[in-house]
């Protein structure tokens, strides 16, 4: 064991040899946190003699749990008779409920429903209650409530706005339904586990005494419920070791609460803090930029990364005219790297928002450069883009039944599966295309197949198609504006949890279409669609492929040669309502620290934005990282709170932020506590 400990640096060894009490391992990017965590577990079991059954290590992915288990057991060798429990939070909840759910009066034969099952049930309830809300929005809100330990009754009492009252009604019926049918959704795995421990003191003590040494990986990604659950699990001994990096907390949008790691030493007595600041991944110039950027955040514990690798190439800036020139320039640089024998797996291009992948995919294809898109679909394969293309295909050829069936109820027109099948059958019997049948029988046959209301909406669809076809023939350049006015496809996606990204993708596509028309005034819709088809159906080249991915998807990965595109205001950082500048900056920090030796940050003079080409300013992050000296670049510090956040006050309870305004060194928040609106300084509340 001594040999293994000697392989650690002083800070890592200090953390690995700590035994009792609370400990925060503040682990910077590339600082060997997994090695430290697994060595500590092996030290407890193989050196101190802690029974593996008394340890519990919690992670966020099965892959991480599996890797850590394998590494820890390899270090322990034959000293453990059976493996320690390393699993995700939700796997732990499942195991716990199998033994103890009867304490809630339920059977352990419960069935876990997945997200599709959940939406199907919500759809049925919404229909029964005659509530018209986007199901993704409803599902997301219910998930937030459960992870904030808000019962349906509390939500119902606190709901003020009409939409939230509707969500509360659906939530109440949904929860009653799954309990009656002994179902458990993903969020229940933790919520019910917490509830059982909270209501049964003897069991809480017994469980805490069983798991005497608890470790948590990626602690900065925990939410309110996970924090409360950990409080119960360590209540009898306080032996909680967490590993995380507040500077890499990038999942606030899905419920992660950065305050958990920032306030760890306040929550748990006599906390020992160990900082892992030696970076084994990146060269000094890369870390210099990362350190400079993240120092502009005010809500952080503070640490500075030092490179074990030493000096390397300076961070490069790539300035292009527009996204097409950007993609071409990057492709050419990658070609040069491949010609030198660089492994394509060591090359990646990252972006902040999915819409930016379109220009990369297209540019790389034109340059004959193979690539793979990770963490998302190719641009033309996304549902919202397929919908637009299907509309375009119907306009070019109304008798394309395949495309018409895709969009006939998008946006929703009250057409159910049964009604569509009746239409198809009737059209087939008359040997007509679906479009031809509808056109022929609008005033006669359709009312016999479906309600007059639905027949009327189909009539309106036919009218929209006719008007848009006339516009195509008259002026293709003005077509998009009329298309969105008539079809209102954006409204269909706006209420979804990822609606913002989807609309950006649609605007990117609209802008690309306009650009094609400007460059080729004689372009026909058929020609445009043929070009799109060739691009979207192009076979992926297996060899010599580089990686294109979002920054969120890249967390935890590393690449020898890295390009980050879109370093412009409004793209990276994102601006506007709901955007958190400190989290944007943390995303920048994560992006930069993915690079090992060569980092290129890219920005352009103009880019498509909301469907139109726009001159755009380079990102403030370039100045904050010390890469550009430019007086026009903004250097900002922002509130960690944004409109819509659920927060908790020790006296007023739970409320929703309605506004955040600078007030001295912190922010003044306007918070709605169930109808009681208060202005509270941000340091007196916590996000949940």
């Amino acid at each position: 064991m001594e040999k293994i400990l000697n392989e650690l640096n002083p800070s890592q060894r200090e953390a690995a040899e700590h035994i009792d009490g609370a400990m925060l391992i503040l682990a910077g990017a590339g600082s060997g946190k997994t090695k430290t965590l697994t060595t500590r577990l092996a030290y407890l079991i193989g050196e101190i003699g802690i029974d593996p059954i008394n340890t519990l290590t919690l992670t966020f992915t099965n892959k991480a749990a599996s890797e850590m288990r394998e590494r820890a057991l390899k270090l322990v060798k034959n000293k453990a008779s059976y493996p320690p429990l390393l699993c995700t939070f939700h796997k732990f909840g499942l195991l716990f409920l199998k033994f103890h759910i009867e304490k809630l009066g339920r059977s352990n034969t419960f069935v876990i429903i997945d997200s599709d099952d959940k939406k199907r049930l919500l759809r049925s309830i919404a229909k029964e209650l005659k509530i018209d809300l986007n199901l993704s929005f409803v599902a997301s809100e219910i998930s937030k409530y459960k992870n904030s330990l808000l019962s349906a009754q509390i939500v119902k009492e606190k709901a003020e706005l009409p939409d939230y009252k509707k969500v509360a009604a659906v939530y109440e019926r949904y929860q009653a339904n799954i309990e009656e049918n002994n179902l458990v959704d993903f969020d229940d795995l933790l919520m019910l586990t917490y509830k059982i421990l909270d209501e049964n003191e003897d069991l809480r003590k017994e469980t805490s005494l069983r798991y005497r040494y608890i470790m948590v990986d990626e602690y900065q990604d925990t939410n309110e419920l996970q924090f409360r659950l950990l409080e119960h699990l360590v209540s009898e001994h306080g032996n909680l070791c967490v590993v995380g990096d507040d500077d890499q907390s990038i999942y606030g949008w899905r419920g992660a609460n950065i305050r958990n790691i920032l306030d760890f030493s306040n929550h748990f007595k006599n906390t020992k803090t160990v900082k892992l600041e030696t970076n084994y991944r990146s060269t000094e110039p890369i870390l210099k930029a990362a350190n400079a950027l993240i120092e502009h955040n005010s809500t952080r514990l503070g640490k500075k990364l030092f490179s074990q690798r030493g000096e390397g190439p300076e961070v490069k800036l790539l300035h292009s005219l527009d996204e097409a020139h950007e993609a071409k320039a990057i492709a050419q640089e990658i070609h040069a790297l491949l010609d030198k024998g660089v492994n394509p797996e060591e090359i990646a291009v990252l972006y902040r928002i999915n819409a930016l992948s379109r220009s990369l995919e297209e540019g790389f294809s034109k340059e004959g450069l193979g690539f793979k898109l990770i963490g998302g679909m190719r641009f033309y394969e996304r549902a919202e883009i397929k919908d637009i293309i299907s509309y375009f295909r119907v306009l070019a050829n109304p008798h394309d039944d395949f495309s018409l069936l895709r969009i006939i109820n998008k946006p929703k027109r009250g057409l159910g599966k049964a009604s569509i099948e009746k239409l198809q059958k009737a059209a087939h019997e008359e040997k007509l295309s679906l479009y031809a049948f509808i056109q022929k029988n609008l005033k006669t046959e359709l009312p016999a197949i479906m309600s007059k209301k639905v027949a009327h909406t189909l009539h309106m669809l036919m009218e929209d198609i006719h008007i848009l076809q006339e516009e195509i023939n008259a002026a293709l350049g003005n077509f998009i504006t009329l298309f969105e006015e008539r079809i209102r496809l954006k409204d269909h996606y706006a209420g979804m949890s990822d609606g913002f990204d989807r609309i950006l993708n649609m605007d990117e596509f609209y802008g690309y279409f306009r650009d094609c028309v400007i460059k080729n005034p004689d372009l026909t819709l058929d020609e445009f669609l043929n070009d799109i088809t060739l691009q979207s159906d192009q076979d992926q080249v297996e060899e010599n492929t580089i990686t294109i991915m979002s920054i969120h998807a890249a967390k935890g990965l590393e690449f020898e040669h890295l390009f980050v595109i879109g370093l412009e205001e409004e793209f990276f950082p994102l601006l506007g309502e709901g955007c958190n500048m400190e989290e944007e900056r943390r995303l920048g920090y994560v992006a930069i620290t993915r690079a090992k030796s060569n980092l290129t940050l890219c920005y352009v003079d103009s880019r498509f934005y909301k469907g139109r080409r726009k001159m755009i300013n380079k990102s403030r992050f370039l100045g904050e990282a010390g890469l550009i000296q430019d007086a026009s670049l903004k250097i900002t510090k922002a509130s960690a709170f944004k409109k819509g956040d659920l927060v908790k006050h020790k006296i007023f309870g739970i409320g929703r932020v309605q506004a955040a305004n600078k007030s001295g060194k912190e922010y003044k928040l306007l918070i709605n506590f169930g109808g009681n609106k208060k202005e509270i300084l941000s340091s007196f509340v916590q996000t949940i």
Side-chain angles (χ1 to χ4, degrees):
M1 195 74 210
E2 186 64 28
K3 182 182 176 183
I4 295 168
L5 290 170
N6 285 337
E7 292 175 358
L8 304 179
N9 67 37
S11 295
Q12 291 173 331
R13 180 160 184 163
E14 182 185 1
E17 292 183 316
H18 177 76
I19 302 172
D20 294 317
M23 177 167 62
L24 168 61
I25 304 175
L26 200 59
S31 63
K33 71 177 180 68
T34 303
K35 183 178 183 180
T36 305
L37 205 60
T38 52
T39 302
R40 180 175 187 266
L41 180 59
Y43 180 76
L44 289 173
I45 296 170
E47 191 72 14
I48 304 302
I50 303 300
D51 191 332
I53 203 171
N54 294 133
T55 70
L56 171 63
T57 303
L58 297 169
T59 68
F60 278 85
T61 66
N62 290 317
K63 181 181 178 183
S66 178
E67 179 191 348
M68 290 170 64
R69 184 184 303 110
E70 185 178 327
R71 289 171 68 169
L73 289 177
K74 191 175 180 181
L75 295 176
V76 174
K77 294 184 180 176
N78 298 322
K79 293 188 179 181
S81 55
Y82 41 84
L85 182 55
L86 284 95
C87 61
T88 64
F89 274 92
H90 292 89
K91 177 65 178 294
F92 174 78
L94 171 60
L95 295 172
F96 183 87
L97 291 180
K98 282 295 181 182
F99 284 102
H100 303 296
I101 198 170
E102 77 278 355
K103 286 186 167 50
L104 296 176
R106 296 177 58 176
S107 165
N108 69 355
T109 58
F110 61 83
V111 174
I112 302 173
I113 58 173
D114 61 21
S115 56
D116 286 338
D117 295 328
K118 180 178 178 179
K119 282 189 178 179
R120 197 176 301 119
L121 181 53
L122 290 173
R123 185 180 294 109
S124 172
I125 291 169
K127 185 177 180 181
E128 186 181 325
L129 297 176
K130 296 181 180 178
I131 288 175
D132 184 23
L133 280 176
N134 181 278
L135 289 179
S136 294
F137 168 71
V138 175
S140 175
E141 282 298 299
I142 290 175
S143 181
K144 286 179 185 176
Y145 296 147
K146 289 192 174 189
N147 281 285
S148 299
L149 294 169
L150 297 175
S151 67
Q153 188 59 38
I154 291 174
V155 172
K156 195 174 180 181
E157 290 170 3
K158 300 287 185 182
E160 213 179 26
L161 298 174
D163 279 357
Y164 288 102
K165 286 183 178 180
K166 292 177 182 177
V167 173
V170 174
Y171 181 20
E172 184 179 45
R173 186 71 62 89
Y174 167 77
Q175 197 59 29
N177 188 298
I178 63 174
E179 287 177 13
E180 286 168 13
N181 293 284
N182 203 24
L183 304 175
V184 169
D185 66 22
F186 200 59
D187 301 308
D188 286 333
L189 292 174
L190 297 188
M191 187 184 78
L192 297 181
T193 295
Y194 172 81
K195 186 176 181 182
I196 291 169
L197 289 172
D198 196 54
E199 295 175 355
N200 297 271
E201 186 176 356
D202 289 344
L203 180 59
R204 175 188 58 74
K205 288 181 178 179
E206 177 190 324
T207 306
S208 180
L209 290 172
R210 171 169 181 150
Y211 300 111
R212 290 176 177 271
Y213 293 90
I214 297 177
M215 293 194 284
V216 182
D217 190 21
E218 302 286 5
Y219 187 69
Q220 77 280 348
D221 294 336
T222 54
N223 61 22
E224 172 73 4
L225 178 52
Q226 287 158 339
F227 165 71
R228 299 278 291 275
L229 182 58
L230 286 170
E231 279 190 314
H232 279 334
L233 291 175
V234 303
S235 58
E236 295 303 303
H237 50 72
N239 296 330
L240 175 62
C241 167
V242 302
V243 182
D245 184 359
D246 55 324
D247 292 332
Q248 294 188 73
S249 178
I250 59 174
Y251 295 113
W253 51 276
R254 71 180 189 196
N257 185 358
I258 192 174
R259 304 304 314 181
N260 288 353
I261 191 167
L262 294 177
D263 298 335
F264 184 81
S265 60
N266 296 328
H267 293 145
F268 301 98
K269 293 179 181 178
N270 303 317
T271 293
K272 178 183 180 67
T273 300
V274 179
K275 295 183 180 181
L276 304 185
E277 297 176 299
T278 301
N279 176 286
Y280 295 90
R281 175 189 300 154
S282 307
T283 55
E284 192 59 44
I286 292 169
L287 295 186
K288 183 180 177 183
N291 286 328
L293 174 64
I294 203 64
E295 281 175 2
H296 287 84
N297 272 4
S298 57
T299 49
R300 62 188 296 259
L301 294 170
K303 66 180 179 316
K304 191 170 184 179
L305 294 178
F306 301 92
S307 175
Q308 190 269 342
R309 296 184 59 194
E311 286 302 317
E314 292 298 317
V315 175
K316 182 179 177 182
L317 299 181
L318 179 60
H319 176 200
S320 303
L321 179 66
D322 57 27
E323 68 276 5
H325 287 85
E326 176 183 66
K328 184 173 183 178
I330 294 172
Q332 289 174 345
E333 290 204 16
I334 291 174
H335 271 307
L337 290 172
L338 295 176
D339 289 343
K340 291 177 182 176
V342 172
N343 185 340
E345 297 297 321
E346 285 292 344
I347 306 172
V349 187
L350 308 184
Y351 50 80
R352 168 65 182 90
I353 55 175
N354 291 328
L356 268 61
S357 74
R358 196 273 308 166
S359 59
L360 287 174
E361 294 173 46
E362 194 166 289
F364 285 12
S365 295
K366 286 179 180 177
E367 292 295 317
L369 186 65
F371 64 90
K372 55 188 174 185
L373 187 69
I374 304 295
M377 291 177 285
R378 286 175 176 257
F379 185 80
Y380 294 113
E381 292 173 354
R382 294 186 171 104
E384 60 274 18
I385 304 304
K386 279 185 156 185
D387 289 345
I388 300 173
I389 292 172
S390 293
Y391 265 107
F392 283 17
R393 284 176 174 158
V394 169
L395 295 174
N397 174 19
H399 305 291
D400 177 353
D401 278 5
F402 180 78
S403 296
L404 182 57
L405 282 168
R406 180 179 179 91
I407 55 88
I408 198 167
N409 202 38
K410 284 187 181 178
K412 290 184 179 179
R413 299 183 172 91
L415 273 167
K417 185 179 178 183
S419 297
I420 293 173
E421 286 175 352
K422 286 179 183 177
L423 279 174
Q424 285 181 280
K425 183 180 178 183
H428 179 72
E429 288 173 354
E430 290 196 29
K431 297 182 179 179
L432 294 172
S433 69
L434 197 55
Y435 173 84
F437 175 79
I438 294 172
Q439 280 285 73
K440 178 185 175 184
N441 297 290
L442 266 176
K443 295 180 181 178
T444 55
E445 298 293 329
L446 287 189
I449 298 174
M450 59 195 66
S451 69
K452 288 184 179 180
K453 182 180 178 182
V454 173
H456 175 70
T457 63
L458 283 176
H459 174 74
M460 297 300 294
L461 174 60
M462 295 298 110
E463 186 177 311
D464 286 337
I465 290 172
H466 179 68
I467 290 171
L468 289 169
Q469 284 174 324
E470 287 184 342
E471 184 65 22
I472 289 170
N473 295 327
L476 197 59
N478 299 324
F479 163 68
I480 289 297
T481 302
L482 183 63
F483 175 78
E484 191 52 48
E485 283 177 1
R486 300 291 303 191
I487 304 300
R488 304 184 70 83
L489 198 54
K490 285 184 183 179
D491 291 350
H492 175 73
Y493 287 107
M496 296 185 181
S497 58
D498 58 350
F500 179 76
D501 271 348
R502 288 178 182 268
I503 290 172
L504 282 179
N505 290 336
M506 294 170 76
D507 284 335
E508 170 73 10
F509 183 86
Y510 291 156
Y512 173 64
F513 178 83
R514 286 192 179 100
D515 201 48
C516 287
V517 174
I518 291 169
K519 290 177 179 176
N520 182 6
D522 297 324
L523 182 73
T524 67
L525 192 58
D526 271 335
E527 289 170 340
F528 175 78
L529 290 170
N530 288 338
D531 186 46
I532 290 294
T533 302
L534 290 173
Q535 289 175 16
S536 58
D537 289 344
Q538 189 166 35
D539 293 334
Q540 279 187 266
V541 182
E542 289 301 321
E543 62 273 7
N544 287 347
T545 58
I546 57 94
T547 302
I548 299 175
M549 67 200 312
S550 71
I551 298 168
H552 281 100
K555 188 172 179 291
L557 302 179
E558 57 185 42
F559 301 93
E560 197 69 38
H561 304 273
L562 186 73
F563 300 82
V564 184
I565 69 166
L567 267 296
E568 305 108 21
E569 296 288 289
E570 299 182 78
F571 286 93
F572 197 12
L574 286 181
L575 301 177
E577 185 179 321
C579 291
N580 182 327
M581 188 57 66
E582 298 224 343
E583 184 154 318
E584 290 295 305
R585 202 173 278 112
R586 292 194 291 269
L587 263 175
Y589 177 83
V590 167
I592 291 172
T593 54
R594 298 311 94 200
K596 294 162 73 174
S597 300
N598 295 278
L599 172 64
T600 303
L601 303 180
C602 313
Y603 64 98
V604 298
D605 292 330
S606 77
R607 199 181 285 277
F608 280 126
Y609 183 66
K610 295 188 175 178
R612 300 184 184 280
R613 182 158 296 283
K614 178 179 178 180
M615 298 305 293
I616 200 158
N617 297 320
K618 52 184 170 285
S619 172
R620 69 190 71 189
F621 292 170
L622 297 175
E624 292 178 356
L627 300 171
I628 289 181
Q629 300 299 319
D630 189 335
S632 67
L633 289 177
K634 296 178 182 178
I635 294 183
T636 58
K637 289 187 177 181
S639 170
F641 299 90
K642 59 184 182 296
K643 185 177 179 181
D645 276 352
L646 278 175
V647 296
K648 185 174 72 173
H649 187 273
K650 63 183 179 182
I651 294 174
F652 300 118
I654 293 166
R656 195 177 289 273
V657 175
Q658 296 193 326
N661 297 296
K662 196 83 172 77
S663 179
K665 291 184 178 180
E666 55 180 311
Y667 283 78
K668 186 182 290 184
L669 308 177
L670 177 61
I671 307 170
N672 185 343
F673 295 100
N676 182 16
K677 296 180 182 179
K678 298 279 187 183
E679 282 194 333
I680 305 286
L681 291 175
S682 55
S683 60
F684 286 82
V685 298
Q686 292 183 355
T687 55
I688 61 175

